[in-house]
Amino acid sequence: MRVRLELRHLSAAAVRIATFNINGVKARLPRLLEWLEETRPAVACLQEIKSQDDGFPAKALQAIGYHAIWHGQKGFNGVAILADGAVPREVRRGLPGDPDDAQARYLEAEVNGVRVASIYLPNGNPQPGPKFEYKLAWFARLRVHAASLWAEEVPVVLAGDFNVVPTDADIWAADALAEDALTQPESRDAWARLLGDGWTDAVATLHPRGGVWTFWDYQAGAWPRDHGFRIDHLLLSPECADRLCAGGVDKGHRGRERASDHAPVWIEMTG
DNA sequence: ATGACTGCCTCTGGCAGA
């Protein structure tokens, strides 16, 4: 009975933080609203809202209790941070290190004492080429900025679509994306360097054997065949890693009508 | 199998995604 009470206490105090590449916030609004209402994360980071700032459905979100900040761009990219019953305090809009970078891929806020970043790291295809160079340069800038957050010694969650398959255990067939920017040694090295600074890959820690997917292509029957891979990640500072108690993928939402090609990924931390 | 899908604006085709 004592264990049961402790688990209940743990559950009640847990804070759920999620990340979801929604592939178009306007086209996906019904799916987004039902996911929020069903899983009720305290914080949700969104990527690929594919919406300009004035097209973001803030009122529909507010109607179900979520306050949002967002960094939009016409047609592509775009990130947002949603909080349940709280207004995210915006800390940074855009990743530092390149004043000429106009792509909307980074947003950072403080919510209830936790620093949260919504990250949409460049895809980088085709490689080699300028898009791949942009990806690697963006990755290097992210590492520098992450180190500055680390130095603040506050609880940090870096959440988003990193467009990196970290290891062969994170994809249904190791050679399936052999020529793709998501699996290149340069991409995986950049990821490994970031983790080498001390960040905890939450889902990898909870599921060390791999086999967890967060993306299934719309094409080639990838979803019914479970041909997926893991590219959506939550990286935790030590203050958050010590509080990590659960995490996973809301896989069922990938199978719904007009779903995103990504599934939501979440963690829970003790409060 | 040289394929397959989806959302967006540049809008009935092209681009980007991964």
Side-chain angles (χ1 to χ4, degrees), chain A residues 198-253:
Chain A
W199 299 95
T200 294
D201 178 345
V203 170
T205 300
L206 295 164
H207 306 277
R209 295 177 65 182
V212 177
W213 318 146
T214 69
F215 173 90
W216 297 257
D217 202 294
Y218 288 125
Q219 303 185 63
W223 168 249
R225 295 176 185 181
D226 200 27
H227 289 178
F229 42 88
R230 187 172 74 96
I231 53 175
D232 301 276
H233 308 300
L234 296 111
L235 293 183
L236 312 183
S237 70
E239 297 89 339
C240 290
D242 288 347
R243 294 161 52 191
L244 179 65
C245 54
V249 178
D250 291 327
K251 187 173 177 179
H253 288 258

Side-chain angles (χ1 to χ4, degrees), chain A residues 74-152:
Chain A
K74 195 174 187 177
F76 307 100
N77 303 325
V79 288
I81 298 175
L82 282 48
D84 185 6
V87 180
R89 182 179 67 81
E90 183 171 324
V91 176
R92 179 172 289 279
R93 172 173 298 240
L95 187 65
D98 181 0
D100 294 329
D101 184 1
Q103 299 194 27
R105 297 180 175 276
Y106 187 90
L107 188 62
E108 183 183 316
E110 187 267 336
V111 184
N112 294 331
V114 180
R115 191 74 64 84
V116 179
S118 183
I119 291 168
Y120 181 43
L121 202 137
N123 170 299
N125 281 307
Q127 73 79 30
K131 291 189 174 182
F132 192 56
E133 295 305 312
Y134 174 64
K135 174 182 194 151
L136 297 179
W138 206 95
F139 226 137
R141 288 164 56 203
L142 177 63
R143 188 182 176 209
V144 169
H145 182 60
S148 77
L149 291 176
W150 183 279
E152 291 190 41

Side-chain angles (χ1 to χ4, degrees), chain A residues 153-206:
Chain A
E153 297 185 345
V154 295
V156 182
V157 179
L158 306 176
D161 177 358
F162 285 74
N163 269 315
V164 176
V165 177
T167 73
D168 286 349
D170 298 306
I171 185 165
W172 64 276
D175 59 352
L177 294 178
E179 304 304 316
D180 196 282
L182 277 58
T183 64
Q184 292 312 295
E186 296 93 330
S187 304
R188 286 180 166 177
D189 287 350
W191 173 258
R193 281 194 292 273
L194 189 57
L195 265 65
D197 292 339
W199 299 95
T200 294
D201 178 345
V203 170
T205 300
L206 295 164

